[in-house]
Amino acid sequence: MGITLTEAAARHVSRYLARRGKGVGVRLGIKTTGCSGLAYQLEYVDEPQPEDIVFEEHGVKVLIDPKSLAYIDGTELDFVRDGLNEGFRFNNPNERDRCGCGESFRV
């Protein structure tokens, strides 16, 4: 299945990488935390790791470590603005439950 980005997410990442003046894309992963057990982790990548799995959408690379892929395979990464708030939204078909605060999820 893989990881996909919406055009809005790709535009946001591209603009941010251009402002930084460096970077090859973003790394999407998970960490154990929160009420439901797992949380998304997103960071800009300057140097890919040998084990990274790379997906590219709209000219933007998304790097995933193999351990995280099992939990987030099929996820669409979106960037949304809602009033004064903006941020990434993860549309993950593997999610079975999400905590009330929206910070963590369970598969």
Side-chain angles (χ1 to χ4, degrees):
M1 287 173 78
I3 307 298
T4 59
L5 279 92
T6 64
E7 287 185 42
R11 271 193 312 272
H12 181 77
V13 171
S14 294
R15 280 195 304 259
Y16 189 80
L17 289 173
R19 278 195 305 249
R20 284 180 82 223
K22 62 180 180 176
V24 297
V26 291
R27 177 171 284 112
L28 175 59
I30 57 151
K31 62 181 178 178
T32 304
T33 188
C35 351
S36 293
L38 301 170
Y40 296 104
Q41 204 169 16
L42 190 65
E43 62 186 5
Y44 291 94
V45 177
D46 294 330
E47 194 73 29
Q49 299 300 312
E51 68 274 4
D52 283 337
I53 300 166
V54 181
F55 299 96
E56 189 166 340
E57 188 94 14
H58 304 291
V60 173
K61 291 181 182 175
V62 180
L63 297 88
I64 312 289
D65 70 272
K67 292 179 185 175
S68 293
L69 187 59
Y71 300 100
I72 58 177
D73 193 23
T75 297
E76 176 191 64
L77 181 59
D78 195 7
F79 188 79
V80 295
R81 288 193 171 101
D82 186 15
L84 297 175
N85 298 318
E86 65 180 18
F88 287 100
R89 179 176 296 153
F90 305 93
N91 300 313
N92 184 349
N94 303 304
E95 277 188 26
R96 299 294 171 242
D97 193 21
R98 183 178 280 256
C99 73
C101 66
E103 293 296 317
S104 62
F105 68 98
R106 185 177 64 205
V107 292

